[in-house]
Structures are given as C-alpha cells and as structure tokens.
Amino acid sequence: MSSGRRQSTNPFVWLLVTCARGLALFFASYSLLSLVAAALGNTYNQNVWWIDLSFMPFALRLILQFALIVSLYAFAIRIPRGLVLRIVEAVPSALFALFAFQNMGGVYGAALQGDIKLGFPLPFSLFIAIGFVLLAAAILFGASLVRRANRPSRLATAVAVALTVCVVGVLFPLGQMLCFGTTEYINKTDAAVVLGAHVFPNGTPSLTLQDRLDKAIELYEQGRTQVLIMSGGIDSDGTNEAWAMYDYAVAHGVAEEDILVDEHGDNTQESAANTVEMIKSAGFESVSTISNFYHLARVKMLYLAEGLDVSTVPADDPKAGLPAPFTLFREIPGWWYYWFTNLA
C-alpha cells in the first residue's frame, strides 16, 4: 500500500465532529438572540439559563459573548484548518467551559451551605461545560480527523447539523426541567404563589394540585412563608381552581387572612402577570413559587419577564407519581414559545 494514499474519514468521527458543529450553531444562535433581547431592553437575562457570567464586568461579558458567537458560527460554517486559526477559534469555547465549571462549583457550594436542595445530582452547568469541552476539542482537532477525501456530501453534513440543532433544542429545556426544576431553594419568603391545576366538579383538587398545595402548606407551617397566593382559572365545568385551593388550604390549617386569591390565572403567563401586581400592591419583597418540577423552568422565566426574581420550590410527587411522558415533553414547546415571545 502506498504511504502517500489518503486515509478515508471514519464515519463515526465525521458524525461526532459534525454534531459538534450543530451544537456550535445552537449555542451561537442562542447567545446571539440573548444579546439581541438585552439590546431591546428585555427585563431578564436569558444567558443565565445556560451560563452565568454575572461575576464579571458587563463590558467584558459582552466582549466574551461576542467572541464566542463569532467563533462558533465560524466553526459551524467551516472547520478551521490552520493551527493559529484553530487555536483562536477554540479559546472562547475553552473559556466558557471554565465558566460553566465555575457555575457548577457554585451550585454544589450552595447545596453544601444548605441554601438549596438538589433533586437531581448533576447541575445543568455540568452538561454545558461538557458541551464546550467537546466544542473546543472539535475545533482544535476536527480538521485532522475529518479528511477531505471520501467524506459525506455537503448535503449529508447539513442534514446532520440541522438534526443536531433539533435534538439539542429538545434536550436544552428538558435538562433545565430535570436539573433546575427539581432544585428547591431553602429560604424564607414573604409570600408563596401556588399555581393552579385541574379541580374536580365537587371541588376536590386533582392529585397534581394536591401535591402543590401540600408543599405550600408545609412551607407555611415551617414558617418559610407568611402568605399563600392561590392562582388558578375556571375549569371547563365552571369550577374555580383558586377558590378550591383556598378551601383546601383553610381545611388544612392555614389562616384565612394569610391567603390571597387570584381567580383569573387561566394560564401560567396570566398567573405571573396577575400575581406580580398583587405582590407589588402588598409590598412583598421576597416571593417563592410552587409547582411541579417540569413546570418550574417556564414559571421562573415568566416571572423574570415580569421583572420579579422568584425562588422556585418543586412540589413533592407522592400522589401523582412521575409525570406522563406527554406532560413532560409538552413543556418543551411551551418553554421555547415563551422564550421567543419574551425576546422582544
């Protein structure tokens, strides 16, 4: 065999590098849209959803994000070949991997101090860090791994990149539900918002809603909150969720004067808007929200969009058990819908 013959690209290696390019396209686009949202005066920092850079000066934060966006888009479009260019493009991803590992350390530090209780052992920032490590490695070594000879067509590459973006688009909010949504913030608040769910015609809360109410009553009894805000809408049979929640809480020992009722919370967005008005009118300074874990990432986003940073508390699920796959995956398009809606 001639020593000068080119080796063909291993299909698995090609797929790995191509998936990295899809991941680069996703991260670059997500970060770019976040910067656009900030320029439009968005009321919440959407970059916190994947990496927290609040520890550094604002100007430096913008410069690093811009450098990351440019380098990731460049890699998504074309694998760099020159050594200097590969190093330059890989540096931003390596830096952001370090930032994500730092975020992970902060999460575990807060857990050790008792500020939070982790429901899932691995923080979301760990997966972000792994993603950036993969990107840095793919940028540095991709050109030498993916040979020009005998590699798949540009169409196959484009399809693989697009599919990777779609898969990451599903895993991104799903990871937040499992990691962030299951994390309980252990702090005292002036009030706790309980988000409604289905109530039966006889006024009995569904098992899912009972889980949320029982958690709220637990916080109230422990002195972790002083007031409960019940937010719900009107079910199709005319049952008022919020007042059914009120009756349940009173029957379980919560004082009537310690309950506020929002009976116009027909969906999560309206609940956030309505209760923020109530919170401001009452002068509450600290607020927690209670719902099921798969719901809390979207809840946090919507309250931030209303200008209020809330502490999230997942309901225990001994009655309802694990959510059906449909319930869990239904949150994914919902999360993205509200994320894009709140861009402007």
Side-chain angles (χ1 to χ4, degrees):
M1 180 181 293
S2 172
S3 59
R5 181 181 296 178
R6 280 184 178 177
Q7 297 177 346
S8 61
T9 299
N10 184 306
F12 176 78
V13 172
W14 167 84
L15 182 61
L16 187 63
V17 174
T18 304
C19 288
R21 295 174 70 184
L23 180 63
L25 181 59
F26 177 90
F27 277 176
S29 301
Y30 186 88
S31 188
L32 177 61
L33 288 173
S34 297
L35 290 182
V36 170
L40 293 174
N42 198 294
T43 55
Y44 69 102
N45 180 3
Q46 295 170 346
N47 273 327
V48 171
W49 288 110
W50 69 310
I51 195 163
D52 185 4
L53 303 178
S54 59
F55 61 90
M56 65 176 61
F58 180 74
L60 179 59
R61 195 186 316 164
L62 287 180
I63 292 172
L64 289 176
Q65 290 180 63
F66 184 74
L68 178 72
I69 292 168
V70 172
S71 66
L72 292 183
Y73 271 133
F75 175 61
I77 295 171
R78 185 176 185 275
I79 301 174
R81 304 194 66 80
L83 177 60
V84 174
L85 183 59
R86 283 184 282 147
I87 292 174
V88 169
E89 288 190 19
V91 165
S93 291
L95 284 175
F96 273 73
L98 291 176
F99 298 151
F101 279 123
Q102 182 183 32
N103 292 166
M104 181 187 69
V107 170
Y108 282 127
L112 290 174
Q113 293 175 5
D115 296 330
I116 61 174
K117 182 170 68 174
L118 297 177
F120 189 77
L122 303 177
F124 188 60
S125 49
L126 172 60
F127 299 101
I128 298 299
I130 292 173
F132 277 120
V133 169
L134 172 63
L135 286 172
I139 293 171
L140 280 174
F141 306 111
S144 59
L145 293 173
V146 179
R147 312 285 179 179
R148 288 185 178 275
N150 300 322
R151 66 183 180 184
S153 66
R154 290 183 178 180
L155 178 60
T157 299
V159 170
V161 167
L163 287 176
T164 301
V165 171
C166 293
V167 171
V168 177
V170 170
L171 295 178
F172 193 79
L174 184 61
Q176 292 177 38
M177 293 178 213
L178 295 176
C179 300
F180 168 79
T182 59
T183 299
E184 179 176 349
Y185 287 78
I186 312 296
N187 59 321
K188 291 185 178 181
T189 58
D190 297 331
V193 178
V194 188
L195 296 165
H198 179 65
V199 173
F200 296 107
N202 64 359
T204 301
S206 61
L207 295 179
T208 297
L209 185 53
Q210 284 186 42
D211 291 336
R212 301 178 187 183
L213 290 166
D214 288 345
K215 189 65 177 183
I217 294 168
E218 176 187 318
L219 298 187
Y220 177 82
E221 292 176 342
Q222 292 175 349
R224 287 173 53 187
T225 192
Q226 302 173 17
V227 175
L228 299 182
I229 303 176
M230 306 300 184
S231 180
I234 307 298
D235 284 347
S236 58
D237 57 13
T239 306
N240 191 304
E241 293 177 359
W243 285 108
M245 295 160 68
Y246 171 93
D247 292 338
Y248 185 93
V250 170
H252 286 76
V254 180
E256 296 181 12
E257 61 270 20
D258 292 336
I259 304 176
L260 300 178
V261 176
D262 163 37
E263 59 182 358
H264 301 291
D266 294 323
N267 54 54
T268 308
Q269 189 171 32
E270 291 186 12
S271 287
N274 296 342
T275 56
V276 165
E277 288 187 12
M278 298 172 67
I279 289 162
K280 290 180 179 178
S281 298
F284 297 138
E285 296 183 357
S286 57
V287 179
S288 56
T289 55
I290 302 168
S291 189
N292 298 84
F293 79 92
Y294 50 83
H295 191 207
L296 285 176
R298 182 157 58 95
V299 169
K300 177 80 170 181
M301 183 200 317
L302 290 172
Y303 273 94
L304 286 173
E306 294 291 335
L308 182 65
D309 190 4
V310 296
S311 301
T312 53
V313 179
D316 299 325
D317 293 326
K319 301 185 188 70
L322 292 175
F326 173 77
T327 302
L328 187 62
F329 283 94
R330 182 183 60 185
E331 284 294 320
I332 294 172
W335 191 93
W336 281 116
Y337 171 79
Y338 285 114
W339 190 88
F340 279 106
T341 299
N342 286 306
L343 276 175

